[in-house]
Amino acid sequence: MNRALVSTPRADGFHMPAEHAPQQAVLMAWPERPDNWRGNAGPAGEAFAAVAAAIQPATPVVMCVSPASEARARALLPAEVKVLIIPSNDSWMRDIGPSFVVNGAGGLRGVDWPFNAWGGAVDGLYDDWSLDDAMAEQLLEWRGVERYRAPLIMEGGAIHVDGEGTCYTTAECLLHPSRNPQLGRTAIETCLGDYLGVDSVIWLPHGLYNDETNGHVDNILHVVGPGEVALTWCDDPGDPMYAICREAGEALAAARDARGRTPLVHRLPLPGPLYVSETEAAGVTASAGMARHAGERLAASYANFLISNERVVFPLLDPAQDDAARDALASLFPSHTIVGVPGREILLGGGNIHCITQQVPQV
């Protein structure tokens, strides 16, 4: 058992580094759930393998799988990808894996956030999340990394950090009654400070429209450098994202990060809008929490990309906007290789490339 430390990362001199800092590995988990992934997760498995193959040339990938999926995963994945037998209830490693913290002197530890399937009894997506909640502890034990168990129900997709003392999140998610109803904004900010080593929390009012995670920040915004973010942007007044983007922009314009900067905002195009097709909906096994309906709007965003060691891997979602998204990312990351990977099958499950990955920082 990887017994949790009784202190906090801040007290021990640790903080979470930015995603654009060097990485030693990227963690993923294999998709299986037939009530979330159509065709018994067949197309999703191919999509996850393609994401792993896009990351692997830049950063070693570790894929967690159940015993039942090991053979298929191994057949689809590049030989260089490490396959690790740790089962999960679903495959969103950003949310079920640990957030890693460093101390600048070679130390690496992990934060294990309690997980309740994005809402528990209030609006959780499934009833049994015990394997997901155990994932962080098992991964940290496997890697020989000490663990903190945070007193805050949260998912990794609910936060972005800049590595310089600032955390970005959304009020829609972290103040949602399904997470920590006993905690107010100030108490949550204190906890984020203690477990991420941050001094400033910048709150966006809402996340992406119809995002079943209750508005994760990583689906609308991405930290791209010190004092700089990429924000999903919509110019159609008839789209509900029009108002959401503008209130986010206003919140960022009024904010100051931990270094006293007003974040510089770069705009990313909004794909679509995209909707679930009849064929896609018919391929999912019906369940109470994760019903998929034809015509349902998908929470599609180009902000849901991964930065990893001079490479940016982003989802291809809309032929009308993919090139514009690639150009925007290339301008933001001129020294990086920009790699697009078809992302619709991941989107159908409720997220995208950032959601299914979790970076391990280099120390």
Side-chain angles (χ1 to χ4, degrees):
M1 174 181 288
N2 188 350
R3 189 179 300 275
L5 299 164
V6 297
S7 54
T8 67
R10 182 190 284 283
D12 294 339
F14 284 77
H15 73 281
M16 184 176 176
E19 189 177 314
H20 51 263
Q23 300 170 17
Q24 60 175 289
V26 170
L27 308 174
M28 298 180 66
W30 193 256
E32 285 188 356
R33 292 187 73 98
D35 59 350
N36 193 41
W37 305 105
R38 68 188 185 113
N40 290 312
E46 295 176 2
F48 276 54
V51 171
I55 299 167
Q56 181 66 39
T59 311
V61 176
V62 177
M63 183 71 72
C64 295
V65 305
S66 71
S69 291
E70 181 181 10
R72 173 166 169 76
R74 185 70 281 167
L76 289 176
L77 290 166
E80 298 83 5
V81 171
K82 167 73 176 175
V83 173
L84 186 64
I85 305 299
I86 302 180
S88 57
N89 298 110
D90 206 353
S91 49
W92 306 101
M93 184 58 81
R94 180 67 51 177
D95 295 344
I96 64 178
S99 298
F100 288 90
V101 291
V102 299
N103 66 359
L108 177 70
R109 292 177 178 174
V111 178
D112 176 3
W113 307 100
F115 179 79
N116 71 351
W118 308 276
V122 176
D123 61 353
L125 299 187
Y126 39 84
D127 294 330
D128 180 8
W129 54 79
S130 55
L131 295 176
D132 285 347
D133 193 41
M135 174 63 75
E137 179 178 358
Q138 292 184 77
L139 275 170
L140 293 170
E141 184 172 11
W142 169 69
R143 293 192 76 90
V145 174
E146 292 183 296
R147 176 176 70 99
Y148 300 96
R149 177 73 167 178
L152 183 73
I153 294 174
M154 201 185 75
E155 308 88 38
I159 55 168
H160 262 303
V161 299
D162 68 353
E164 296 187 353
T166 304
C167 173
Y168 295 82
T169 190
T170 70
E172 179 184 357
C173 182
L174 287 197
L175 297 181
H176 197 278
S178 67
R179 300 301 199 283
N180 303 280
Q182 77 284 7
L183 299 178
R185 185 182 297 235
T186 300
I188 290 173
E189 287 183 348
T190 298
C191 189
L192 293 174
D194 287 341
Y195 284 85
L196 298 174
V198 297
D199 302 307
S200 176
V201 179
I202 295 177
W203 296 80
L204 303 189
H206 296 94
L208 216 69
Y209 175 72
N210 208 34
D211 186 340
E212 64 189 5
T213 67
N214 304 121
H216 273 185
V217 74
D218 74 343
N219 211 23
I220 189 171
L221 173 146
H222 208 119
V223 174
V224 298
E228 296 188 45
V229 300
L231 177 67
T232 297
W233 196 256
C234 173
D235 283 318
D236 178 5
D239 191 308
M241 280 302 301
Y242 183 87
I244 290 172
C245 295
R246 276 153 185 78
E247 68 178 7
E250 291 169 4
L252 292 166
R256 297 296 180 271
D257 69 11
R259 301 289 179 94
R261 299 170 296 212
T262 299
L264 176 60
V265 178
H266 306 276
R267 296 177 180 179
L268 288 176
L270 180 71
L274 306 178
Y275 301 91
V276 181
S277 73
E278 291 187 9
T279 299
E280 290 164 342
V284 178
T285 300
S287 71
M290 292 190 291
R292 299 288 184 247
H293 304 291
E296 178 183 357
R297 178 159 174 174
L298 294 161
S301 170
Y302 291 114
N304 209 305
F305 61 86
L306 176 73
I307 312 166
S308 189
N309 291 340
E310 308 304 318
R311 177 170 288 224
V312 171
V313 182
F314 81 103
L316 300 173
L317 295 168
D318 178 0
Q321 296 291 347
D322 287 344
D323 287 344
R326 183 189 298 274
D327 291 345
L329 293 171
S331 68
L332 292 174
F333 300 96
S335 63
H336 288 54
T337 302
I338 312 299
V339 182
V341 178
R344 186 171 179 91
E345 291 298 334
I346 309 170
L347 175 61
L348 289 168
N352 230 289
I353 290 171
H354 196 258
C355 302
I356 66 172
T357 55
Q358 178 63 274
Q359 71 276 1
V360 183
Q362 186 65 262
V363 294

